[in-house]
CSV table of all heavy atoms in Angstrom, one decimal:
chain,number,residue,atom,x,y,z
D,97,GLY,N,-27.6,55.4,-92.3
D,97,GLY,CA,-28.2,56.2,-91.2
D,97,GLY,C,-28.1,57.7,-91.5
D,97,GLY,O,-28.2,58.5,-90.6
D,98,CYS,N,-28.1,58.0,-92.8
D,98,CYS,CA,-28.2,59.4,-93.2
D,98,CYS,C,-29.6,60.0,-92.7
D,98,CYS,O,-30.6,59.3,-92.9
D,98,CYS,CB,-28.1,59.5,-94.7
D,98,CYS,SG,-28.1,61.2,-95.4
D,99,ASP,N,-29.6,61.2,-92.1
D,99,ASP,CA,-30.8,61.7,-91.6
D,99,ASP,C,-31.7,62.4,-92.7
D,99,ASP,O,-32.9,62.3,-92.7
D,99,ASP,CB,-30.6,62.7,-90.5
D,99,ASP,CG,-29.8,62.0,-89.4
D,99,ASP,OD1,-30.4,61.1,-88.8
D,99,ASP,OD2,-28.7,62.4,-89.1
D,100,ILE,N,-30.9,63.2,-93.6
D,100,ILE,CA,-31.6,64.0,-94.6
D,100,ILE,C,-30.9,63.9,-95.9
D,100,ILE,O,-29.7,63.9,-96.0
D,100,ILE,CB,-31.6,65.5,-94.1
D,100,ILE,CG1,-32.5,65.6,-92.9
D,100,ILE,CG2,-32.2,66.4,-95.3
D,100,ILE,CD1,-32.4,67.0,-92.3
D,101,LEU,N,-31.7,63.7,-97.0
D,101,LEU,CA,-31.2,63.8,-98.3
D,101,LEU,C,-31.8,65.0,-99.0
D,101,LEU,O,-33.0,65.1,-99.0
D,101,LEU,CB,-31.6,62.5,-99.1
D,101,LEU,CG,-31.3,62.5,-100.6
D,101,LEU,CD1,-29.8,62.8,-100.9
D,101,LEU,CD2,-31.8,61.3,-101.3
D,102,PHE,N,-31.0,65.8,-99.5
D,102,PHE,CA,-31.4,66.9,-100.4
D,102,PHE,C,-31.3,66.5,-101.8
D,102,PHE,O,-30.2,66.2,-102.3
D,102,PHE,CB,-30.6,68.2,-100.1
D,102,PHE,CG,-31.0,69.4,-100.8
D,102,PHE,CD1,-32.4,69.7,-101.0
D,102,PHE,CD2,-30.1,70.3,-101.4
D,102,PHE,CE1,-32.8,70.8,-101.7
D,102,PHE,CE2,-30.5,71.4,-102.1
D,102,PHE,CZ,-31.9,71.7,-102.2
D,103,LEU,N,-32.4,66.5,-102.5
D,103,LEU,CA,-32.4,65.9,-103.9
D,103,LEU,C,-33.1,66.9,-104.8
D,103,LEU,O,-34.3,66.7,-105.3
D,103,LEU,CB,-33.2,64.6,-103.8
D,103,LEU,CG,-33.3,63.7,-105.0
D,103,LEU,CD1,-31.9,63.2,-105.5
D,103,LEU,CD2,-34.2,62.5,-104.7
D,104,PRO,N,-32.4,68.0,-105.1
D,104,PRO,CA,-33.1,69.1,-105.9
D,104,PRO,C,-33.0,68.8,-107.4
D,104,PRO,O,-32.2,68.1,-107.9
D,104,PRO,CB,-32.2,70.3,-105.6
D,104,PRO,CG,-30.8,69.7,-105.3
D,104,PRO,CD,-31.0,68.3,-104.8
D,105,LEU,N,-33.9,69.5,-108.1
D,105,LEU,CA,-33.8,69.6,-109.6
D,105,LEU,C,-32.9,70.7,-110.0
D,105,LEU,O,-32.7,71.6,-109.1
D,105,LEU,CB,-35.2,69.8,-110.2
D,105,LEU,CG,-36.2,68.6,-110.1
D,105,LEU,CD1,-37.6,69.0,-110.6
D,105,LEU,CD2,-35.7,67.4,-110.8
D,106,VAL,N,-32.5,70.8,-111.2
D,106,VAL,CA,-31.6,71.8,-111.7
D,106,VAL,C,-32.2,73.2,-111.4
D,106,VAL,O,-31.5,74.1,-110.9
D,106,VAL,CB,-31.2,71.6,-113.2
D,106,VAL,CG1,-30.4,72.8,-113.7
D,106,VAL,CG2,-30.4,70.3,-113.4
D,107,ALA,N,-33.5,73.4,-111.7
D,107,ALA,CA,-34.1,74.7,-111.5
D,107,ALA,C,-34.1,75.2,-110.1
D,107,ALA,O,-34.2,76.4,-109.8
D,107,ALA,CB,-35.5,74.6,-112.1
D,108,GLU,N,-34.1,74.2,-109.2
D,108,GLU,CA,-34.1,74.6,-107.7
D,108,GLU,C,-32.7,75.1,-107.3
D,108,GLU,O,-32.6,76.1,-106.5
D,108,GLU,CB,-34.4,73.3,-106.9
D,108,GLU,CG,-34.6,73.5,-105.5
D,108,GLU,CD,-35.8,74.3,-105.1
D,108,GLU,OE1,-36.7,74.5,-106.0
D,108,GLU,OE2,-35.9,74.8,-104.0
D,109,ILE,N,-31.7,74.6,-107.9
D,109,ILE,CA,-30.3,75.1,-107.6
D,109,ILE,C,-30.0,76.3,-108.4
D,109,ILE,O,-29.3,77.3,-107.9
D,109,ILE,CB,-29.3,74.0,-107.9
D,109,ILE,CG1,-29.5,72.8,-106.9
D,109,ILE,CG2,-27.8,74.5,-107.8
D,109,ILE,CD1,-29.3,73.1,-105.5
D,110,TYR,N,-30.4,76.4,-109.7
D,110,TYR,CA,-30.1,77.5,-110.6
D,110,TYR,C,-31.4,78.1,-111.1
D,110,TYR,O,-31.6,78.0,-112.3
D,110,TYR,CB,-29.2,77.0,-111.7
D,110,TYR,CG,-27.9,76.4,-111.3
D,110,TYR,CD1,-27.6,75.1,-111.7
D,110,TYR,CD2,-27.0,77.1,-110.5
D,110,TYR,CE1,-26.3,74.5,-111.3
D,110,TYR,CE2,-25.7,76.6,-110.2
D,110,TYR,CZ,-25.4,75.3,-110.6
D,110,TYR,OH,-24.2,74.7,-110.2
D,111,PRO,N,-32.1,78.8,-110.3
D,111,PRO,CA,-33.4,79.4,-110.8
D,111,PRO,C,-33.1,80.4,-111.9
D,111,PRO,O,-34.0,80.5,-112.8
D,111,PRO,CB,-34.0,80.1,-109.6
D,111,PRO,CG,-33.0,80.0,-108.5
D,111,PRO,CD,-31.9,79.0,-108.9
D,112,ASP,N,-32.0,81.0,-112.0
D,112,ASP,CA,-31.7,82.0,-113.0
D,112,ASP,C,-30.7,81.4,-114.1
D,112,ASP,O,-30.0,82.2,-114.8
D,112,ASP,CB,-31.1,83.3,-112.4
D,112,ASP,CG,-32.0,83.8,-111.4
D,112,ASP,OD1,-33.2,83.9,-111.6
D,112,ASP,OD2,-31.4,84.2,-110.3
D,113,GLY,N,-30.6,80.1,-114.1
D,113,GLY,CA,-29.6,79.5,-115.1
D,113,GLY,C,-28.2,79.5,-114.5
D,113,GLY,O,-28.0,80.0,-113.4
D,114,PHE,N,-27.3,79.0,-115.2
D,114,PHE,CA,-25.9,78.9,-114.7
D,114,PHE,C,-24.9,79.4,-115.6
D,114,PHE,O,-23.7,79.2,-115.5
D,114,PHE,CB,-25.6,77.5,-114.1
D,114,PHE,CG,-25.8,76.4,-115.2
D,114,PHE,CD1,-24.8,76.1,-116.1
D,114,PHE,CD2,-26.9,75.7,-115.2
D,114,PHE,CE1,-24.9,75.1,-117.0
D,114,PHE,CE2,-27.1,74.7,-116.1
D,114,PHE,CZ,-26.1,74.4,-117.0
D,115,ASN,N,-25.3,80.2,-116.6
D,115,ASN,CA,-24.3,80.6,-117.6
D,115,ASN,C,-23.6,81.9,-117.3
D,115,ASN,O,-22.4,82.1,-117.4
D,115,ASN,CB,-24.9,80.6,-119.0
D,115,ASN,CG,-25.1,79.2,-119.5
D,115,ASN,OD1,-24.3,78.3,-119.2
D,115,ASN,ND2,-26.2,79.0,-120.2
D,116,ASN,N,-24.4,82.9,-116.8
D,116,ASN,CA,-23.8,84.2,-116.5
D,116,ASN,C,-23.6,84.3,-115.0
D,116,ASN,O,-24.2,85.1,-114.3
D,116,ASN,CB,-24.8,85.3,-116.9
D,116,ASN,CG,-25.0,85.3,-118.4
D,116,ASN,OD1,-24.0,85.1,-119.2
D,116,ASN,ND2,-26.2,85.4,-118.9
D,117,HIS,N,-22.6,83.5,-114.6
D,117,HIS,CA,-22.4,83.5,-113.1
D,117,HIS,C,-21.2,84.4,-112.8
D,117,HIS,O,-20.4,84.8,-113.6
D,117,HIS,CB,-22.2,82.1,-112.6
D,117,HIS,CG,-21.0,81.4,-113.3
D,117,HIS,ND1,-19.8,81.6,-112.7
D,117,HIS,CD2,-20.9,80.7,-114.4
D,117,HIS,CE1,-18.9,80.9,-113.5
D,117,HIS,NE2,-19.6,80.4,-114.5
D,118,LYS,N,-21.1,84.7,-111.5
D,118,LYS,CA,-19.9,85.5,-111.0
D,118,LYS,C,-18.7,84.6,-111.1
D,118,LYS,O,-18.8,83.3,-111.2
D,118,LYS,CB,-20.2,85.9,-109.6
D,118,LYS,CG,-20.2,84.8,-108.6
D,118,LYS,CD,-20.3,85.4,-107.2
D,118,LYS,CE,-20.2,84.3,-106.1
D,118,LYS,NZ,-20.6,84.8,-104.8
D,119,GLN,N,-17.5,85.2,-111.1
D,119,GLN,CA,-16.3,84.5,-111.1
D,119,GLN,C,-15.7,84.4,-109.7
D,119,GLN,O,-15.7,85.4,-109.0
D,119,GLN,CB,-15.3,85.2,-112.0
D,119,GLN,CG,-15.6,85.1,-113.5
D,119,GLN,CD,-15.3,83.7,-114.0
D,119,GLN,OE1,-14.3,83.1,-113.8
D,119,GLN,NE2,-16.4,83.1,-114.7
D,120,TYR,N,-15.2,83.2,-109.4
D,120,TYR,CA,-14.6,83.0,-108.1
D,120,TYR,C,-13.1,83.1,-108.3
D,120,TYR,O,-12.6,82.5,-109.2
D,120,TYR,CB,-14.9,81.6,-107.5
D,120,TYR,CG,-16.4,81.4,-107.3
D,120,TYR,CD1,-17.2,80.9,-108.4
D,120,TYR,CD2,-17.0,81.6,-106.1
D,120,TYR,CE1,-18.6,80.7,-108.2
D,120,TYR,CE2,-18.3,81.4,-105.9
D,120,TYR,CZ,-19.1,81.0,-107.0
D,120,TYR,OH,-20.5,80.8,-106.8
D,121,ASP,N,-12.4,83.9,-107.4
D,121,ASP,CA,-11.0,84.0,-107.5
D,121,ASP,C,-10.3,82.9,-106.9
D,121,ASP,O,-10.1,82.9,-105.6
D,121,ASP,CB,-10.6,85.4,-106.9
D,121,ASP,CG,-9.1,85.5,-106.9
D,121,ASP,OD1,-8.4,84.7,-107.6
D,121,ASP,OD2,-8.6,86.5,-106.3
D,122,LEU,N,-9.9,81.9,-107.7
D,122,LEU,CA,-9.3,80.7,-107.1
D,122,LEU,C,-7.8,80.7,-107.3
D,122,LEU,O,-7.1,79.7,-107.0
D,122,LEU,CB,-9.9,79.4,-107.8
D,122,LEU,CG,-11.4,79.3,-107.7
D,122,LEU,CD1,-11.9,78.1,-108.5
D,122,LEU,CD2,-11.9,79.2,-106.3
D,123,GLY,N,-7.2,81.8,-107.8
D,123,GLY,CA,-5.8,81.9,-108.0
D,123,GLY,C,-5.3,80.8,-108.8
D,123,GLY,O,-5.9,80.4,-109.8
D,124,LYS,N,-4.1,80.2,-108.5
D,124,LYS,CA,-3.4,79.2,-109.3
D,124,LYS,C,-4.2,77.9,-109.4
D,124,LYS,O,-4.0,77.2,-110.4
D,124,LYS,CB,-2.1,78.9,-108.7
D,124,LYS,CG,-1.1,80.0,-108.8
D,124,LYS,CD,0.2,79.4,-109.6
D,124,LYS,CE,1.0,80.6,-110.1
D,124,LYS,NZ,2.4,80.5,-109.6
D,125,LEU,N,-5.1,77.7,-108.5
D,125,LEU,CA,-5.9,76.4,-108.5
D,125,LEU,C,-6.7,76.3,-109.8
D,125,LEU,O,-7.0,75.2,-110.3
D,125,LEU,CB,-6.8,76.3,-107.3
D,125,LEU,CG,-6.2,76.1,-106.0
D,125,LEU,CD1,-7.2,76.2,-104.9
D,125,LEU,CD2,-5.5,74.8,-105.9
D,126,GLU,N,-7.0,77.5,-110.4
D,126,GLU,CA,-7.8,77.5,-111.6
D,126,GLU,C,-7.0,77.1,-112.8
D,126,GLU,O,-7.6,76.6,-113.8
D,126,GLU,CB,-8.3,78.9,-111.8
D,126,GLU,CG,-9.2,79.2,-112.9
D,126,GLU,CD,-10.6,79.1,-112.5
D,126,GLU,OE1,-11.1,80.0,-111.8
D,126,GLU,OE2,-11.3,78.1,-112.9
D,127,THR,N,-5.7,77.2,-112.8
D,127,THR,CA,-4.9,77.0,-114.0
D,127,THR,C,-4.0,75.7,-113.9
D,127,THR,O,-3.4,75.3,-114.9
D,127,THR,CB,-4.0,78.2,-114.3
D,127,THR,OG1,-3.3,78.6,-113.1
D,127,THR,CG2,-4.8,79.3,-114.9
D,128,LEU,N,-3.9,75.2,-112.7
D,128,LEU,CA,-3.1,74.0,-112.5
D,128,LEU,C,-3.9,72.7,-112.7
D,128,LEU,O,-5.1,72.7,-112.3
D,128,LEU,CB,-2.5,73.9,-111.0
D,128,LEU,CG,-1.4,74.9,-110.7
D,128,LEU,CD1,-1.2,74.9,-109.1
D,128,LEU,CD2,-0.1,74.6,-111.3
D,129,LEU,N,-3.3,71.7,-113.2
D,129,LEU,CA,-3.8,70.3,-113.2
D,129,LEU,C,-5.3,70.3,-113.6
D,129,LEU,O,-5.6,70.5,-114.8
D,129,LEU,CB,-3.7,69.7,-111.8
D,129,LEU,CG,-2.2,69.7,-111.3
D,129,LEU,CD1,-2.1,69.3,-109.8
D,129,LEU,CD2,-1.3,68.8,-112.1
D,130,GLU,N,-6.2,69.9,-112.8
D,130,GLU,CA,-7.6,69.8,-113.2
D,130,GLU,C,-8.1,71.1,-113.7
D,130,GLU,O,-8.9,71.2,-114.7
D,130,GLU,CB,-8.5,69.4,-112.0
D,130,GLU,CG,-8.4,68.0,-111.5
D,130,GLU,CD,-8.7,67.0,-112.6
D,130,GLU,OE1,-9.8,66.7,-112.9
D,130,GLU,OE2,-7.7,66.5,-113.2
D,131,GLY,N,-7.7,72.2,-113.1
D,131,GLY,CA,-8.0,73.6,-113.6
D,131,GLY,C,-7.6,73.8,-115.0
D,131,GLY,O,-8.4,74.3,-115.9
D,132,LYS,N,-6.4,73.3,-115.4
D,132,LYS,CA,-5.9,73.4,-116.8
D,132,LYS,C,-6.7,72.5,-117.7
D,132,LYS,O,-7.1,72.9,-118.8
D,132,LYS,CB,-4.4,73.1,-116.7
D,132,LYS,CG,-3.8,73.2,-118.1
D,132,LYS,CD,-2.3,73.0,-117.9
D,132,LYS,CE,-1.7,72.6,-119.3
D,132,LYS,NZ,-0.3,72.2,-119.1
D,133,PHE,N,-6.8,71.3,-117.3
D,133,PHE,CA,-7.4,70.3,-118.3
D,133,PHE,C,-8.9,70.3,-118.3
D,133,PHE,O,-9.5,69.7,-119.2
D,133,PHE,CB,-6.9,68.9,-117.9
D,133,PHE,CG,-5.5,68.7,-118.4
D,133,PHE,CD1,-4.4,68.9,-117.5
D,133,PHE,CD2,-5.2,68.3,-119.7
D,133,PHE,CE1,-3.1,68.8,-117.9
D,133,PHE,CE2,-3.9,68.1,-120.1
D,133,PHE,CZ,-2.9,68.4,-119.2
D,134,ARG,N,-9.6,70.9,-117.3
D,134,ARG,CA,-11.0,71.0,-117.3
D,134,ARG,C,-11.4,72.5,-117.1
D,134,ARG,O,-11.9,72.9,-116.1
D,134,ARG,CB,-11.7,70.1,-116.2
D,134,ARG,CG,-11.3,68.6,-116.4
D,134,ARG,CD,-12.1,67.8,-115.4
D,134,ARG,NE,-13.5,67.8,-115.7
D,134,ARG,CZ,-14.4,67.2,-114.9
D,134,ARG,NH1,-14.0,66.7,-113.7
D,134,ARG,NH2,-15.7,67.3,-115.2
D,135,PRO,N,-11.2,73.3,-118.2
D,135,PRO,CA,-11.5,74.7,-118.0
D,135,PRO,C,-12.9,75.0,-117.5
D,135,PRO,O,-13.9,74.4,-118.1
D,135,PRO,CB,-11.3,75.3,-119.4
D,135,PRO,CG,-10.6,74.2,-120.2
D,135,PRO,CD,-10.9,72.9,-119.5
Side-chain angles (χ1 to χ4, degrees):
C98 180
D99 300 298
I100 294 172
L101 169 61
F102 182 43
L103 189 61
L105 292 174
V106 174
E108 187 64 17
I109 296 294
Y110 301 121
D112 305 318
F114 54 84
N115 287 324
N116 296 317
H117 61 88
K118 69 176 185 193
Q119 287 290 309
Y120 300 86
D121 176 9
L122 303 176
K124 288 236 164 125
L125 291 173
E126 183 94 71
T127 49
L128 287 168
L129 305 172
E130 291 300 281
K132 176 174 166 192
F133 284 92
R134 300 186 69 187

